[in-house]
């Protein structure tokens, strides 16, 4: 059975989650675990997709226990400055060994369901090279927003909002249709972006109503 749960409710998965994220983005294990331990119900929050054994499986296999599970993915949710109904999704990753089997989609669908259940109606994210994957999930190109991140746990969000200037991003490339990944012109649009990250790498800002 697949389910998504806040990582701070499953501290037994901290080390496994740190190793999973470091597969994709190298960082010291100690630093990664410290960052993951800051997950909270008030956001930022680390969500993990896990597979847990069903009751009948536990009976059939004595080795299985209620606490055993398989870590299938991770995503972090943060609030967005100036957008009270929006969340920012980042650090989305599934184990390399199971990629291409639909778990990325399942992870994102679970994240969206969780966010919606918490009363949020809009998600934002960025990607360097997975824009087509997100487009197939219903995400469209957008302008940048300001993610509150872990600083929101130290500084009131209202204060951050008072310091946040209006977003005057460059216009997005024009293209027919709002969300049709099969459209060749739309595909071409997903290859170009006016935005860059702090390292100067092209980055795609995307959003979706949930």
């Amino acid at each position: 059975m697949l389910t998504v749960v806040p990582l701070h409710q499953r501290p037994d998965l901290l080390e496994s989650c740190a190793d999973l994220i470091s597969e994709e983005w190298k960082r010291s294990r100690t630093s990664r675990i410290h960052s993951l331990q800051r997950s909270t119900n008030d956001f930022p929050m680390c969500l993990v997709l896990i597979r847990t054994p069903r009751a009948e499986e536990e009976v059939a296999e004595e080795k299985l226990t209620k606490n055993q599970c398989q870590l299938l993915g991770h995503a972090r949710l943060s609030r967005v400055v100036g957008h009270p109904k929006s969340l920012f999704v980042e650090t989305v990753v599934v184990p390399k060994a199971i990629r291409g089997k639909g778990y990325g989609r399942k992870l994102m669908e679970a994240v969206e369901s969780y966010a919606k259940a918490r009363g949020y109606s809009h998600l934002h994210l960025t990607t360097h090279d997975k824009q087509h994957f997100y487009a197939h999930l219903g995400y469209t190109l957008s302008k940048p927003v300001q993610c509150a991140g872990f600083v929101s746990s130290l500084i009131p969000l209202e204060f951050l909002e008072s310091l946040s200037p209006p977003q005057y991003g460059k216009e997005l490339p024009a293209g027919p249709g709002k969300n049709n990944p099969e459209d060749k012109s739309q595909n071409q649009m997903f290859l170009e972006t006016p935005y860059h990250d702090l390292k100067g790498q092209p980055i795609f800002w995307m959003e979706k109503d949930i």
Side-chain angles (χ1 to χ4, degrees), residues 60-126:
E61 178 55 70
E62 294 181 359
K63 294 181 180 180
L64 292 175
T65 69
K66 290 184 178 180
N67 290 326
Q68 284 183 319
C69 68
Q70 179 184 7
L71 178 63
L72 301 175
H74 166 277
R76 189 172 77 177
L77 293 175
S78 300
R79 291 185 290 173
V80 178
V81 176
H83 300 268
K85 288 294 184 179
S86 296
L87 289 174
F88 188 83
V89 188
E90 59 186 326
T91 321
V92 179
V93 61
V94 298
K96 292 182 178 180
I98 61 172
R99 292 179 186 177
K101 298 182 179 180
Y103 289 109
R105 173 181 288 272
K106 293 180 185 298
L107 171 61
M108 288 302 297
E109 290 175 346
V111 167
E112 291 169 11
S113 295
Y114 181 88
K116 190 173 182 179
R118 288 288 304 268
Y120 293 88
S121 57
H122 201 79
L123 294 180
H124 296 266
L125 57 81
T126 60

Side-chain angles (χ1 to χ4, degrees), residues 131-132 141 172-179 183-193 204:
Q131 59 271 26
H132 289 92
L141 296 178
L172 296 173
K178 184 177 182 181
N179 181 35
D183 188 296
K184 293 183 179 180
S185 297
Q186 185 78 348
N187 279 330
Q188 180 62 34
M189 182 171 65
F190 284 128
L191 297 177
E192 302 173 355
T193 173
F204 293 83

